[in-house]
Amino acid sequence: MLITDTSDAKAQLAATESAPAVHHLRQTLLWPLRLMPTAQPRHAHRGPWQVLRDLGDASPWREEIDEYTGSSDRFHERHYNEFVSFLPYVQRFLYGDGRKGRQAGTDSGSDSPMRVFRRNDVTAVRVVARPGDAPITLQVVHVDLYFFFDVDVVLLNVEVGVDDLSLPQAQEILYRFGRAYPGGWDAQGQALHCMSNVEWLAADGSVLSRSDAQQREAFMSHVAEHRAPRLAAHWAWLMRPLVSDHSDEAGALRFRQIEYYRMPVMAYLALDDPRRLSRTDFVRLALVSGAADPVVSGGGPLPFAEDSMADFEERYCYDRFWVNAGAAPNTRYLCNGRALIVVGDAHAEFFCCRDRGVLAQFRHQHFLLFLIAHFQKAALLMYSDRLVEALRNLDIHDVASVKRFKRAIRASFEGFLRFTHRYWFHEISEQAQVRALSHLCTTHLGLDPLYDEVKERIADMNTYLDADSLRRQANTVVRLTVVTLFGLIGTITTGFLGMNLLAEAESPMWRKLLWFGLTFAFTTWLTVYTMVKSKRLSDFIDALSDERHTLRTKLGVLARVWRPGSD
């Protein structure tokens, strides 16, 4: 917001000074995307992480060997605490069950079905929330890509941190940073809901890429031409060599947006005094609705109607540690499914401990439960998209199209079964805190209803294909039965006679071959003709066996065998 009035500027300064101070903000973005099938034949049967791995120096991404499979010097107590927080089948999903550590560039059946790639060229990001605001530089902790075996989904993970902010500044960063593109523009042409400017910075401070959210015409023309949104330049740059499926850029790996353009976010806020936060502040944090008007003191009004927030604490808050005693006093967890926010006291030693405290739990256990939930949702949406695409590409008058449709549905059904047995968990932990936060996240995301819906759709489509196959087989059996029935007449007749009507046994070879050819041609023609008329002949057989029909009706059905258009 541009401050043009002196009284407004003073009010904003006073509101900022009275707001609780954020000693440390840690924000994690998790962006699920769908990987599209590659058009290059040499990559057709390779995993996307293998394709990315093979690019070598042409890609800034390098496979990350985690602390569980790498050197033991990297394995710390926080990693052990993370591991034991999950149930055994979740441990096998996250870490694999191999007895020996693997090396980068290798794959084995005992490895985790999850692959992580990291880029280290981005060390900071400079953001400007609104035109006229002072820029804020966030330190980039890491930028990762998460791939999953047998599921065409990739998750971009960006973790940033910054010290010494006001609460409104932190709220604006949470609200505006994780936007894939602008949601619109105001009357002055300024981008709405996203950062006014974003710059990725290298270690030497040089700008690697910057946003182009103010270029309204570029975004609008892209939507008009491709019927798909255009990614902001800084996010498109960060993903390379992965490129948007609707981009004109060439790329071995292409992706497509699968969820809302606002990325799921996690945040850790170490406040000077979390008890000073008003209920409105907690509502704005939990629902990531941005800062209130800086002129209004006390957190301002609720961002939504009072009636809709009547059960806010019950729906969105986990208050087991919202007490003045204990290891991590005055710690509150807020979750709406798309956001998981941890608020606590910066002066509590356990809250800020990076090895075994709340910050360590936030970056390990809480991150993984958030990742699992959003990976499951993205995978389910991906299978739903596959069904829609298969139906859209179906042409019932084209035999090849029908075959491709059947193969696509069968592949989706098989893939969904593998997803269910490998990745679908209802319970991921028996630890009370991890379990409660996981339930909050999955409930708000609606994973169980979504799973049931996708399962039902895929099962219905597969049942239809099974019924269609049985119908075709039944028709084939009927036709063969009709041919056999009418061929039986000639077979029994010649067999009953038991003699050669034409004594050609002593005839010359050319004459016997001639008779053989004529008989073969006539028999073949009769069989084919009977198959052509088998549907009408089967109707005649049904009518003939029905005692309720009169002789005249049965003869009429027989006559329709040769009557044009009688079907």
Side-chain angles (χ1 to χ4, degrees):
M1 175 183 292
L2 289 173
I3 304 300
T4 57
D5 187 83
T6 305
S7 60
D8 287 351
K10 291 180 179 179
Q12 181 181 11
L13 180 60
T16 302
E17 291 177 350
S18 63
V22 180
H23 286 262
H24 183 70
L25 169 67
R26 186 67 62 96
Q27 180 178 6
T28 299
L29 299 175
L30 198 63
W31 191 20
L33 297 164
R34 178 188 172 189
L35 290 168
M36 302 305 294
T38 177
Q40 302 182 21
R42 67 177 184 275
H43 298 323
H45 301 291
R46 296 176 61 79
W49 63 88
Q50 295 172 320
V51 176
L52 188 60
R53 181 194 297 159
D54 293 344
L55 292 177
D57 294 336
S59 167
W61 300 97
R62 294 293 177 268
E63 187 169 7
E64 180 74 5
I65 302 301
D66 59 38
E67 296 80 6
Y68 300 87
T69 52
S71 171
S72 58
D73 297 336
R74 300 176 58 197
F75 192 83
H76 302 290
E77 184 178 345
R78 63 179 180 271
H79 303 121
Y80 177 83
N81 293 334
E82 170 194 316
F83 180 85
V84 299
S85 296
F86 298 99
L87 291 170
Y89 48 83
V90 184
Q91 292 172 353
R92 288 190 288 272
F93 158 56
L94 295 173
Y95 316 108
D97 55 3
R99 294 181 179 273
K100 296 181 179 179
R102 66 179 178 88
Q103 301 298 321
T106 63
D107 296 292
S108 70
S110 61
D111 289 339
S112 165
M114 185 169 62
R115 290 287 183 274
V116 184
F117 282 73
R118 178 170 294 177
R119 61 184 303 166
N120 298 307
D121 54 335
V122 182
T123 61
V125 55
R126 187 162 53 226
V127 298
V128 178
R130 306 184 187 188
D133 287 357
I136 299 174
T137 300
L138 313 174
Q139 298 304 312
V140 174
V141 181
H142 56 72
V143 180
D144 295 335
L145 285 176
Y146 284 80
F147 296 92
F148 302 87
F149 177 73
D150 205 29
V151 177
D152 293 332
V153 166
V154 61
L155 275 72
L156 173 67
N157 169 227
V158 179
E159 182 180 345
V160 297
V162 62
D163 294 329
D164 301 325
L165 296 174
S166 67
L167 181 61
Q169 287 177 315
Q171 290 173 324
E172 286 296 284
I173 292 174
L174 295 179
Y175 177 71
R176 296 176 178 273
F177 182 42
R179 306 275 182 160
Y181 45 83
W185 296 264
D186 61 17
Q188 289 73 40
Q190 297 296 328
L192 295 173
H193 309 304
C194 64
M195 289 290 180
S196 176
N197 188 45
V198 178
E199 295 176 333
W200 298 115
L201 305 178
D204 59 0
S206 60
V207 177
L208 299 172
S209 178
R210 60 170 48 91
S211 65
D212 57 350
Q214 312 304 334
Q215 299 180 15
R216 177 171 58 182
E217 293 303 321
F219 288 92
M220 293 180 62
S221 61
H222 188 278
V223 171
E225 179 181 357
H226 298 285
R227 300 297 188 270
R230 174 182 180 271
L231 296 185
H234 62 292
W235 291 117
W237 176 87
L238 192 67
M239 290 295 298
R240 291 191 184 102
L242 284 77
V243 298
S244 172
D245 191 41
H246 297 94
S247 170
D248 296 330
E249 298 181 64
L253 294 174
R254 310 187 75 86
F255 62 86
R256 180 176 293 181
Q257 183 180 339
I258 197 172
E259 289 192 47
Y260 192 47
Y261 82 109
R262 188 174 179 179
M263 304 175 191
V265 59
M266 297 178 61
Y268 165 95
L269 290 87
L271 297 173
D272 187 43
D273 182 6
R275 287 287 177 178
R276 290 175 54 196
L277 267 64
S278 65
R279 185 171 186 267
T280 298
D281 291 328
F282 280 115
V283 170
R284 291 186 175 276
L285 284 172
L287 303 182
V288 196
S289 58
D293 189 332
V295 179
V296 180
S297 61
L302 285 173
F304 308 104
E306 181 68 40
D307 291 344
S308 65
M309 294 291 103
D311 58 347
F312 167 76
E313 286 77 10
E314 180 182 351
R315 291 174 58 192
Y316 301 107
C317 301
Y318 178 69
D319 287 341
R320 185 178 184 182
F321 303 101
W322 189 236
V323 292
N324 291 320
N330 301 322
T331 300
R332 196 174 206 184
Y333 295 84
L334 311 168
C335 181
N336 70 3
R338 297 190 60 82
L340 177 60
I341 313 295
V342 184
V343 177
D345 191 343
H347 303 293
E349 181 179 356
F350 184 78
F351 183 79
C352 299
C353 181
R354 296 174 181 266
D355 194 57
R356 63 173 64 88
V358 176
L359 179 57
Q361 294 173 354
F362 170 82
R363 300 189 65 233
H364 292 268
Q365 292 95 312
H366 301 163
F367 169 74
L368 288 176
L369 73 86
F370 197 70
L371 178 142
I372 290 173
H374 283 275
F375 161 67
Q376 290 177 339
K377 181 178 181 181
L380 292 173
L381 293 176
M382 181 268 296
Y383 285 116
S384 180
D385 276 359
R386 280 186 178 180
L387 294 181
V388 174
E389 290 176 357
L391 286 170
R392 186 175 64 242
N393 297 328
L394 173 64
D395 181 0
I396 60 175
H397 302 292
D398 184 356
V399 176
S401 176
V402 173
K403 290 182 178 179
R404 288 194 298 270
F405 170 75
K406 290 184 176 181
R407 285 196 295 268
I409 297 302
R410 299 293 188 193
S412 295
F413 183 71
E414 294 168 1
F416 186 78
L417 288 178
R418 293 193 296 270
F419 163 80
T420 297
H421 293 287
R422 181 181 286 127
Y423 300 119
W424 183 248
F425 317 118
H426 278 95
E427 300 291 345
I428 67 172
S429 176
E430 286 299 327
Q431 291 188 5
Q433 182 191 37
V434 176
R435 184 176 182 177
L437 292 176
S438 177
H439 282 184
L440 262 178
C441 193
T442 56
T443 300
H444 283 296
L445 289 176
L447 291 189
D448 285 337
L450 179 61
Y451 176 85
D452 293 338
E453 180 182 354
V454 175
K455 179 181 179 181
E456 182 178 358
R457 289 184 179 183
I458 293 180
D460 287 347
M461 197 66 68
N462 190 66
T463 301
Y464 163 75
L465 293 182
D466 289 341
D468 184 67
S469 297
L470 291 175
R471 180 185 61 82
R472 291 177 178 273
Q473 293 175 11
N475 287 338
T476 302
V477 171
V478 168
R479 293 174 184 273
L480 291 176
T481 302
V482 171
V483 173
T484 303
L485 181 62
F486 282 90
L488 186 64
I489 299 174
T491 302
I492 293 178
T493 302
T494 56
F496 177 76
L497 291 175
M499 60 184 180
N500 295 324
L501 296 178
L502 300 174
E504 299 292 340
E506 303 299 331
S507 299
M509 179 60 68
W510 66 269
R511 189 168 179 176
K512 290 190 287 186
L513 292 175
L514 177 62
W515 279 110
F516 175 81
L518 291 174
T519 305
F520 178 79
F522 175 76
T523 305
T524 302
W525 173 85
L526 183 61
T527 303
V528 173
Y529 182 77
T530 306
M531 292 182 65
V532 171
K533 299 294 184 178
S534 59
K535 187 177 184 301
R536 300 182 185 181
L537 289 171
S538 66
D539 294 338
F540 168 67
I541 294 174
D542 289 339
L544 191 64
S545 62
D546 193 340
E547 297 180 354
R548 294 173 297 177
H549 290 320
T550 64
L551 178 61
R552 181 177 181 179
T553 303
K554 296 177 180 179
L555 292 176
V557 176
L558 178 62
R560 283 201 296 271
V561 173
W562 297 279
R563 187 180 304 162
S566 61
D567 287 342

